[in-house]
């Protein structure tokens, strides 16, 4: 009989030697994880200042961070971040609000899924960017078409992952619940829904990545504000440090979105990683 | 021994099976799995159902559980015909079938909650049965932290918590290792005596059948051989190495053409 035992917290303050050992341990694991990234950044900086790299295409990091700081301090980049967040956030929220309930419904009722699957697969395989001109014709060049194209591409990962999650719920667990007299609603609430949460999260993370990808594409094609536009615009005006600053912010946005979802998933699916 | 004489619960948990038929169609061929089964189970009795694979013992149990409808014939509980799933019965499957996102207590309370008992009361009762199956101290563990035997104990506790009159067990110890199996057989025997439930047990293991049951129903695969009922007139608690026990095992094995 085994059960995970939690480390009991030390009551008295640990001696300095132990603290030093722990710090060394933390340092080693930190180096193992972030050492390569740090090496890459150092190589960039040194390569650019020493002339190993073309400094006009790869400006030194300090110039990029200066451009980033200027953009943030003057508020110009803040505006871009805000509008980009608004576009991708709205689209993502709409995809989640529509995709999860629709997926839960489709996964439960075979006939519905059977009838809707071909058209879904067809839509999914049609590149959202190819459809962007159509959305512009329908919705104009304003915010609506941008949000819609992002929404379109973002919807499918979460929808398909939800359908898959519901369909893959262990039939034996459903049968078990039924032997206790559980109604359809109870089975859904107490078995199907919690069992689908992990795959829904896989879909959410894919959707979040897609949302940022489409955001940049949409802003590059037809916008005059936003981080995607800023990347393009800075390149046209040959403000390469600013271009990299915008790219850096986009990467940061992606990391933040993923971090938020992973944290939320850990909270909700603690049972899945308890061992 | 506190409980040497059988607990008398008049009529409660009495099962009558009358002329039960069930067939399946497999690849266009009709398979008559149950062919006119008759059985009378007294309240509080322990019956083991044995037979070769494909003889219909699991199907019979699923019909009794209400998970399958018979083609013909009746199942009566305490004299009243039943259709579908009912509160008098609880099923223990070969796999524990625990919900991985619930703790041991929440899993054990699940059946009661589904039947409408409020959370606090259900958890209280669940804790009682967790102790009964010997899992005290593991109330807050998650299923993935438990061994196979422990998980099966949780499944057993969940079935006991709803206090059924009839416990239906479908090869409940089939997936456990030999050592755990022996311990669990003793536990099942003790629980059955203490709870006074009717127990209908499907098993592959003839020794398990003799150890636990009052009577053994031997089912056969071919339609020529009828089902037989064997009385096990052995004192309890049973001793696996007693001559009567060994003789009975030999006789049962002979039923299957094993010597």
């Amino acid at each position: 009989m085994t059960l995970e035992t939690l480390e009991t917290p030390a009551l008295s303050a640990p001696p300095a030697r132990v603290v030093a050992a722990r710090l060394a341990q933390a340092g080693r694991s930190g180096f193992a994880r972030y050492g390569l990234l740090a090496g890459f950044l150092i190589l960039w900086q040194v390569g650019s200042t020493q002339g190993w790299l073309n400094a006009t295409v790869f400006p030194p990091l300090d110039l990029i961070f200066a451009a980033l700081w200027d953009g943030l301090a003057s508020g110009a980049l803040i505006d871009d971040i805000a509008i980009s967040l608004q576009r991708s956030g709205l689209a993502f929220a709409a995809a989640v609000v529509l995709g999860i309930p629709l997926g839960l419904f489709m996964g439960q009722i075979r006939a519905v899924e059977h009838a809707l699957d071909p058209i879904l697969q067809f839509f999914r395989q049609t590149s959202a960017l190819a459809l962007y001109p159509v959305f512009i014709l329908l919705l104009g060049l304003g915010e609506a078409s941008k949000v819609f194209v992002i929404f379109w591409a973002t919807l499918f990962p979460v929808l398909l992952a939800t359908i898959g999650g519901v369909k893959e719920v262990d039939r034996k667990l459903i049968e078990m619940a039924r032997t206790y007299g559980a109604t359809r609603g109870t089975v859904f609430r107490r078995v199907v829904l919690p069992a689908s949460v992990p795959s829904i999260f896989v879909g959410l993370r894919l959707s979040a990545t897609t949302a940022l990808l489409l955001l940049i594409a949409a802003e590059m094609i037809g916008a005059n504000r936003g981080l995607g536009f800023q990347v393009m615009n800075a390149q046209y005006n040959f403000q390469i440090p600013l271009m990299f600053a915008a790219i850096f912010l986009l990467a940061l946005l992606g990391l933040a979105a993923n971090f938020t979802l992973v944290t939320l998933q850990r909270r909700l699916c603690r049972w899945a990683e308890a061992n | 021994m506190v409980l040497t004489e059988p607990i008398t619960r008049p009529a409660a948990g009495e099962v009558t099976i009358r002329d039960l038929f069930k067939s399946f169609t497999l690849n266009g061929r009709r398979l008559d799995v149950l062919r006119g089964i008759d059985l009378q189970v007294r309240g509080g009795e322990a019956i083991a159902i044995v037979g070769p694979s494909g003889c219909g013992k699991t199907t019979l149990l699923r019909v009794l559980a209400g998970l399958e409808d018979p083609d013909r014939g009746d199942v009566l509980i305490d004299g009243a015909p039943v259709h579908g799933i009912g509160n008098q019965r609880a099923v223990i499957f070969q796999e524990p079938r625990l919900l991985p996102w619930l703790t041991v207590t929440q899993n054990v309370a699940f059946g009661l909650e589904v039947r409408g008992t409020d959370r606090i009361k259900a958890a209280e009762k669940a804790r009682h049965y967790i102790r009964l199956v010997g899992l005290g101290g593991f109330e807050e563990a998650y299923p993935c932290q438990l061994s196979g035997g422990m998980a099966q104990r949780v499944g057993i506790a969940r079935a006991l918590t709803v206090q059924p009159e009839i416990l239906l067990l479908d090869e409940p110890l089939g997936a456990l290792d030999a050592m755990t199996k022996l311990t669990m057989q003793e536990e099942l025997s003790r629980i059955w005596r203490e709870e006074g439930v009717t127990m209908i047990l499907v098993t592959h293991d003839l020794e398990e059948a003799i150890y636990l049951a009052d009577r053994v129903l031997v089912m056969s695969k071919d339609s020529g051989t009828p089902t037989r009922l064997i009385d096990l007139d052995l004192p309890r608690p049973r001793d696996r190495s007693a001559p009567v026990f060994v003789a009975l095992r030999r006789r049962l094995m002979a039923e299957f053409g094993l010597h």
Side-chain angles (χ1 to χ4, degrees):
Chain A
M1 296 206 183
T2 50
L3 184 73
E4 267 192 24
T5 46
L6 292 173
E7 207 176 303
T8 43
L11 290 176
S12 56
R17 197 154 39 84
V18 176
V19 172
R22 272 194 199 152
L23 274 177
Q25 167 67 28
R28 264 196 301 280
S29 74
F31 181 76
R33 183 143 171 79
Y34 298 108
L36 265 177
L37 178 64
F40 168 74
L41 293 176
I42 290 167
L43 201 67
W44 179 327
Q45 175 68 20
V46 176
S48 182
T49 46
Q50 295 297 309
W52 307 338
L53 288 169
N54 183 348
T56 45
V57 181
F58 295 104
L61 291 178
D62 58 293
L63 277 184
I64 294 172
F65 281 106
L68 181 63
W69 178 250
D70 283 347
L72 292 176
S74 70
L77 278 176
I78 302 277
D79 274 354
D80 289 319
I81 294 170
I83 190 79
S84 286
L85 272 179
Q86 186 192 317
R87 284 168 184 152
S88 51
L90 264 177
F92 182 72
V96 169
V97 165
L98 186 73
I100 293 180
L102 187 62
L104 291 172
F105 178 66
M106 284 178 67
Q108 288 264 294
I109 298 165
R110 234 198 124 69
V112 177
E113 202 251 331
H114 200 68
L116 274 176
D117 189 58
I119 193 167
L120 270 183
Q121 295 297 341
F122 179 70
F123 280 161
R124 186 171 77 114
Q125 297 303 334
T126 315
S127 162
L129 283 177
L131 289 173
Y132 193 26
V134 181
F135 298 149
I136 291 174
L137 280 177
L138 284 172
L139 301 166
L141 252 171
E143 287 304 300
S145 63
K146 287 184 201 53
V147 172
F148 195 81
V149 73
I150 302 168
F151 159 76
W152 181 266
T154 306
L155 176 66
F156 293 103
V158 66
L159 177 63
L160 293 171
T162 308
I163 294 172
V166 172
K167 279 171 73 184
E168 270 158 39
V169 176
D170 191 350
R171 314 303 306 173
K172 290 179 168 177
L173 292 182
I174 295 175
E175 192 178 77
M176 180 279 294
R178 277 186 48 217
T179 63
Y180 289 101
T183 57
R184 242 190 122 90
T186 309
V187 170
F188 176 75
R189 200 166 44 82
R190 302 239 25 207
V191 182
V192 175
L193 196 59
S196 317
V197 167
S199 39
I200 291 176
F201 264 100
V202 172
L204 283 178
R205 285 168 67 183
L206 266 171
S207 277
T209 313
T210 313
L212 285 175
L213 201 75
L214 263 287
L215 166 78
I216 297 152
E219 287 183 343
M220 281 181 170
I221 292 170
N224 48 25
R225 278 189 305 163
L227 286 174
F229 161 76
Q230 211 48 258
V231 174
M232 239 19 203
N233 194 48
Q235 192 242 328
Y236 287 147
N237 297 324
F238 221 72
Q239 296 169 294
I240 304 303
L242 181 63
M243 181 187 84
F244 273 111
I247 292 175
F248 177 75
L249 281 175
L250 281 167
L252 220 58
L253 223 59
L255 284 173
N258 199 48
F259 176 78
T260 312
L261 285 171
V262 169
T263 311
L264 198 63
Q265 184 177 17
R266 288 234 171 97
R267 270 280 173 81
L268 284 172
C269 308
R270 239 173 312 183
W271 52 272
E273 36 187 314
N275 70 348
Chain B
M1 274 287 129
V2 191
L3 295 155
T4 37
E5 39 187 333
I7 291 167
T8 42
R9 267 204 198 174
E14 194 181 88
V15 182
T16 310
I17 300 167
R18 273 204 308 236
D19 206 23
L20 209 63
F21 281 86
K22 174 84 186 169
S23 65
F24 290 107
T25 318
L26 192 73
N27 301 331
R29 264 187 58 215
R30 213 175 91 124
L31 271 170
D32 292 312
V33 184
L34 303 179
R35 302 170 299 267
I37 303 263
D38 284 295
L39 182 67
Q40 177 79 38
V41 184
R42 295 183 297 271
E45 193 182 10
I47 291 266
I49 305 173
V50 298
S53 303
C55 70
K57 51 191 192 300
T58 292
T59 306
L60 176 58
L61 199 83
R62 289 178 63 86
V63 170
L64 290 178
L67 290 168
E68 310 259 5
D69 287 322
D71 297 341
R72 195 142 66 75
D74 298 298
V75 175
L76 291 87
I77 289 174
D78 301 332
V82 290
H83 304 281
I85 286 149
N87 280 358
Q88 332 84 347
R89 289 155 285 163
V91 189
I92 295 168
F93 300 95
Q94 179 169 3
E95 325 79 23
R97 302 199 185 182
L98 306 180
L99 301 173
W101 51 89
L102 299 183
T103 62
V104 168
T105 309
Q106 289 165 335
N107 261 297
V108 174
F110 179 80
L112 273 182
E113 283 176 16
V114 162
R115 289 184 181 180
T117 310
D118 75 86
R119 247 160 209 280
I120 298 162
K121 252 194 173 156
E124 218 169 87
K125 240 176 162 176
R127 275 191 289 274
H128 168 77
Y129 281 98
I130 290 167
R131 277 195 299 275
L132 184 81
V133 298
L135 282 179
F138 290 94
E139 285 85 353
E140 299 313 311
Y142 282 94
C144 62
Q145 296 170 299
L146 304 175
S147 69
M150 291 163 83
Q152 192 57 298
R153 281 167 202 258
V154 179
I156 293 169
R158 179 178 57 197
L160 293 173
T161 307
V162 297
Q163 291 181 302
E165 294 171 15
I166 300 149
L167 210 49
L168 303 166
L169 303 100
D170 187 7
E171 297 180 36
L173 312 179
L176 302 178
D177 64 273
M179 289 297 286
T180 315
K181 203 169 173 174
L182 290 180
T183 327
M184 293 291 283
Q185 284 169 0
E186 278 170 32
E187 300 257 309
L188 268 181
S189 172
R190 174 180 62 88
I191 287 164
W192 167 73
R193 263 187 289 114
E194 284 176 14
E195 297 293 307
V197 289
T198 306
M199 186 162 84
I200 300 178
L201 163 85
V202 163
T203 181
H204 268 128
D205 185 336
L206 299 181
E207 188 175 303
E208 182 171 295
I210 304 168
Y211 187 78
L212 290 171
D214 294 320
R215 288 187 293 162
V216 180
L217 181 74
V218 183
M219 292 177 73
S220 74
K221 210 173 172 180
D222 70 296
S223 45
T225 330
T227 57
R228 280 145 308 178
L229 207 51
I230 295 170
D231 257 301
L232 303 176
D233 204 7
L234 295 175
R236 290 181 186 267
R238 291 190 171 157
D239 175 5
R240 290 171 209 273
S241 48
V244 232
F245 193 101
V246 177
L248 262 171
R249 192 174 57 197
R250 193 169 299 138
R251 189 180 145 203
L252 254 183
M253 281 170 82
E255 293 272 346
F256 291 98
L258 303 162
H259 298 287

